[in-house]
Amino acid sequence: MKNFDSKNRLVSRLSILTLVFLPLLVMSACRQEESALLTCLPESRQLTDIVSVEGVATTSEEANKLKKVTISEKLKELQASCKNNRLVDTQSKEIVFFDLQFCGGAPPPEGAVEKQREEVIALQKKYTVITMTCNPVGLPYP
C-alpha cells in the first residue's frame, strides 16, 4: 500500500510540474520564433508596429479599446519564416510591406489612390504584401 501511495504522490507532483512548466516552454518557443523573424524584418519595422485597426473610434478612450493587428500577429497568421534573410510565407513567397498613404484626412491628389492601388496589385503578383495602415490609432482625421 505504501508503494502505491508514493507512486500516486509522484504522479501528482509530475502533473503539477507539467502544468507549471509546459506553458513556459511554449512561450519560450514563441519568443524564439519571433526573434528568428526579427532578423529578417526590415530595419524600419518592429514586430509591434500596427498593420491595421478594426473599427473607428470617436474618442481616444474608444481608440484604446479597438483591436489593433500587429506585424507579429500578421506574420503568425501567414505562418511566416525566415529563409535566406528574407521573410517568406508557407509557399516560400517573399513577404514585403507597403505603407498606405491615403487613409483619410485631406483629399489626396487626383489619381493618387488609384496609383497606390495599382502599386499594391503589381507587388501582389510577385510578393505576399502586408499593407500598413496610415492610421494606427483608429481615430478619424480632422
Side-chain angles (χ1 to χ4, degrees):
M1 190 71 164
K2 270 188 177 181
N3 199 13
F4 182 74
D5 285 341
S6 63
K7 283 183 182 179
N8 274 345
R9 273 188 250 133
L10 180 62
V11 167
S12 188
R13 287 181 183 156
L14 286 173
S15 296
I16 291 170
L17 287 173
T18 301
L19 289 173
V20 170
F21 287 108
L22 187 60
L24 294 175
L25 288 171
V26 170
M27 286 176 13
S28 174
C30 289
R31 282 193 199 108
Q32 286 175 352
E33 185 178 304
E34 276 192 351
S35 67
L37 293 177
L38 198 53
T39 62
C40 288
L41 203 60
E43 286 184 20
S44 61
R45 306 288 178 196
Q46 296 181 352
L47 291 172
T48 55
D49 290 349
I50 306 298
V51 172
S52 63
V53 179
E54 296 175 5
V56 178
T58 56
T59 66
S60 297
E61 196 173 283
E62 287 176 6
N64 290 336
K65 296 176 184 176
L66 293 175
K67 169 69 175 136
K68 295 172 178 76
V69 178
T70 64
I71 286 178
S72 176
E73 292 167 323
K74 191 67 177 174
L75 293 176
K76 284 178 191 166
E77 177 188 318
L78 294 171
Q79 298 177 2
S81 61
C82 190
K83 290 186 183 169
N84 300 325
N85 291 323
R86 298 179 322 149
L87 281 174
V88 295
D89 63 15
T90 55
Q91 279 74 48
S92 295
K93 196 172 180 183
E94 187 173 356
I95 298 170
V96 297
F97 298 88
F98 185 89
D99 292 303
L100 294 174
Q101 300 298 314
F102 309 106
C103 295
E110 190 172 327
V113 173
E114 182 62 27
K115 182 181 177 202
Q116 179 176 269
R117 191 179 72 75
E118 289 170 1
E119 287 179 49
V120 171
I121 290 170
L123 285 170
Q124 287 173 331
K125 291 177 182 173
K126 185 175 180 183
Y127 305 102
T128 295
V129 180
I130 296 176
T131 53
M132 302 293 292
T133 184
C134 54
N135 185 1
V137 177
L139 287 170
Y141 291 105

